[in-house]
């Protein structure tokens, strides 16, 4: 009986997690809608970390829309950066130069 409860519990958890994966893109899209930017430079790098010597993990182009669930910013010396979501970064968080984007 204990094994059956354990299996049932695991299955309920698995189905609940699977359901959250289905809902997640919608939730992510609505969350990122609160903090979106339009790229204005002809080409702009998405950096792994908010500093100019960090690795460029992706390139965005003028007119591209980028964003993140939160409106975080960072600075490195005279450079300002905004947070964007990207699968190309190890932690899913990329950074773009403030001058390369305008808020929507």
């Amino acid at each position: 009986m204990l094994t059956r409860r354990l299996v049932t519990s695991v299955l309920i958890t698995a189905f609940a997690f699977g359901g959250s994966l289905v809902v997640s893109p919608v939730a992510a899209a609505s969350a990122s809608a609160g903090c979106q930017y339009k790229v204005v430079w002809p080409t702009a790098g998405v950096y792994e970390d908010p500093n100019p010597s960090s690795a460029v993990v992706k390139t965005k182009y003028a007119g591209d829309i980028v964003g993140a669930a939160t409106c975080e910013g960072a600075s490195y010396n005279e450079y300002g950066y905004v947070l964007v979501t990207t699968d190309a970064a190890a932690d899913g968080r990329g950074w773009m130069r403030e001058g390369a984007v305008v808020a929507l």
Side-chain angles (χ1 to χ4, degrees):
M1 190 68 162
L2 181 61
T3 304
R4 183 173 288 195
R5 283 187 192 163
L6 181 60
V7 169
T8 303
S9 175
V10 169
L11 286 175
I12 289 171
T13 304
F15 286 130
F17 181 69
S20 70
L21 290 178
V22 172
V23 175
S24 180
V26 173
S30 64
S32 67
C35 191
Q36 290 187 338
Y37 307 96
K38 182 176 183 180
V39 177
V40 293
W41 287 359
T43 59
V46 178
Y47 297 88
E48 181 76 35
D49 296 308
N51 71 61
S53 60
S54 178
V56 175
V57 295
K58 195 172 207 173
T59 302
K60 291 293 187 176
Y61 302 95
D64 287 351
I65 305 298
V66 296
T70 61
C71 295
E72 292 182 45
S75 62
Y76 183 89
N77 291 337
E78 72 273 9
Y79 302 107
Y81 293 86
V82 296
L83 177 68
V84 296
T85 303
T86 179
D87 292 336
D91 59 359
R93 297 165 47 102
W95 298 89
M96 294 185 73
R97 294 271 303 273
E98 281 180 332
V101 297
V102 293
L104 294 179

